[in-house]
Amino acid sequence: MSTAWHNKLLGGFKRTSDRLIGNLAGLGAARLDDATLDEIEEALIASDLGPETAARIRARLAEGSFERNMEELGIRLIVAEEIEKVLAKVAKPLEIEAFPRPQVILVIGVNGSGKTTTIAKLAHLLMEQDYAVMLAAGDTFRAAAIGQLATWAERVGVPIISGKEGGDAAGIVYEAVKQATAIGTDVLIVDTAGRLQNKRELMDELSKIRRVLGRLNAAAQHDVVLVLDATTGQNALSQIEVFGKEAGVTGLVMTKLDGTARGGVLVAAAEKYGLPIHAIGIGEQMGDLRPFDPNEVARIIAGVGEAL
């Protein structure tokens, strides 16, 4: 854990932490009777932690092993412990294990979620680990998406395979895999169209891409990573629901955690779906997308100081 990244997390989750602390303010030091426990549970749900996590924390506070009179800090310490338990199960960096190469990462998400910039940051992160990376502009639905990805590819310093607007996304992926294989690229990151308003078209396109990948290398590991915008709060959960059914999501990346007080949705997503969360985005710089430490993030969200 670098000091710079820790400070980024502190700043990024400040609004989320302030919201949680504010919602719990005044609920400590009183006798933890059912009415108070109900208030605490409601405060946790209002902090976007999700009903499952809130209910479990309520049950934990109700256990006889805890003092019936508890200071607010004591409550937040328990909140931190329970958040860590949830996040520890899903905090899993992307593992590049495919052989033969490349490992293909299909990146999906609705427009505005930060999908294109996340692809660039993910490429940068993998390059830091000495992986050779290539991009493929598989979102042919919008001409702007192709141009934006090309701009980011140039900034990051990676090759990109693209076609024309309205072109066949599966054909672009086919060409990209061929070229990536020929030059020994480790990872091929594919941008895809996020057309939630036409789920059948989305599913058909992704199915076609998968068939192409299967023909090229049936043994290779391929990932389907959903990019979520934390500022949308609970709407992010509905996106996991829809994309999970339609696209076979294998992992998540959550962005824009520095721009919202609704960062508790990270916990709600982990609790409800249990999908690997490969990285979180805090800030706009290239290095602001990273895997995270569950203990560190849990304690920052709960506002209980440094990670233990």
Side-chain angles (χ1 to χ4, degrees):
M1 176 187 69
S2 72
T3 301
W5 177 242
H6 179 73
N7 290 337
K8 280 275 188 183
L9 290 173
L10 284 172
F13 279 105
K14 186 178 187 306
R15 291 171 65 184
T16 296
S17 179
D18 287 349
R19 184 183 186 195
L20 176 61
I21 292 170
N23 287 340
L24 290 174
L27 296 180
R31 184 172 182 271
L32 291 185
D33 55 18
D34 285 342
T36 303
L37 289 169
D38 285 344
E39 287 186 70
I40 292 171
E41 185 174 5
E42 290 169 8
L44 296 171
I45 292 173
S47 301
D48 282 308
L49 295 182
E52 294 91 348
T53 300
R56 195 172 60 255
I57 292 171
R58 183 196 193 282
R60 175 111 187 261
L61 289 168
E63 290 175 4
S65 57
F66 290 103
E67 298 174 7
R68 300 307 296 169
N69 294 287
M70 184 174 292
E71 298 291 339
E72 183 186 321
L73 177 58
I75 293 173
R76 286 195 274 121
L77 283 167
I78 292 169
V79 170
E81 290 174 9
E82 292 301 321
I83 289 176
E84 182 184 1
K85 288 179 184 177
V86 175
L87 295 182
K89 298 176 183 177
V90 300
K92 298 176 181 177
L94 268 168
E95 296 184 356
I96 309 304
E97 301 176 317
F99 186 81
R101 301 288 205 233
Q103 182 163 322
V104 181
I105 302 172
L106 303 178
V107 180
I108 62 178
V110 299
N111 296 333
S113 63
K115 180 161 59 82
T116 307
T117 54
T118 295
I119 288 171
K121 291 175 181 178
L122 182 58
H124 175 77
L125 178 63
L126 292 170
M127 289 171 68
E128 284 186 333
Q129 300 170 48
D130 293 325
Y131 292 115
V133 180
M134 177 185 288
L135 305 185
D139 183 356
T140 61
F141 189 66
R142 298 181 303 127
I146 299 171
Q148 288 166 3
L149 193 66
T151 299
W152 279 111
E154 184 177 356
R155 290 181 187 175
V156 180
V158 296
I160 180 172
I161 304 300
S162 60
K164 62 182 180 179
E165 181 183 2
D168 179 23
I172 290 169
V173 173
Y174 177 82
E175 183 60 31
V177 173
K178 282 179 60 180
Q179 293 197 31
T181 302
I183 65 175
T185 298
D186 296 304
V187 186
L188 173 64
I189 306 177
V190 181
D191 189 14
T192 64
R195 298 192 294 275
L196 270 182
Q197 66 271 28
N198 191 331
K199 292 182 285 187
R200 172 55 57 185
E201 188 174 353
L202 169 68
M203 186 172 68
D204 289 347
E205 183 174 278
L206 290 171
S207 295
K208 187 176 180 181
I209 290 173
R210 281 208 192 89
R211 288 197 301 272
V212 167
L213 293 174
R215 287 198 300 269
L216 288 167
N217 184 0
Q221 175 178 334
H222 304 303
D223 304 280
V224 181
V225 176
L226 173 61
V227 177
L228 299 166
D229 177 351
T231 65
T232 65
Q234 296 300 304
N235 189 47
L237 301 183
S238 65
Q239 290 178 27
I240 299 173
E241 186 78 26
V242 173
F243 277 110
K245 289 179 180 177
E246 303 295 345
V249 174
T250 61
L252 308 173
V253 170
M254 188 163 286
T255 68
K256 305 182 186 180
L257 282 160
D258 54 319
T260 183
R262 309 176 81 176
V265 73
L266 178 74
V267 183
E271 177 79 73
K272 186 170 184 178
Y273 294 101
L275 286 165
I277 300 177
H278 298 308
I280 56 176
I282 304 278
E284 299 180 358
Q285 301 302 311
M286 196 62 70
D288 290 343
L289 184 82
R290 300 277 168 190
F292 65 95
D293 177 85
N295 176 267
E296 181 183 25
V297 168
R299 293 181 69 84
I300 288 172
I301 290 175
V304 293
E306 298 297 315
L308 295 178

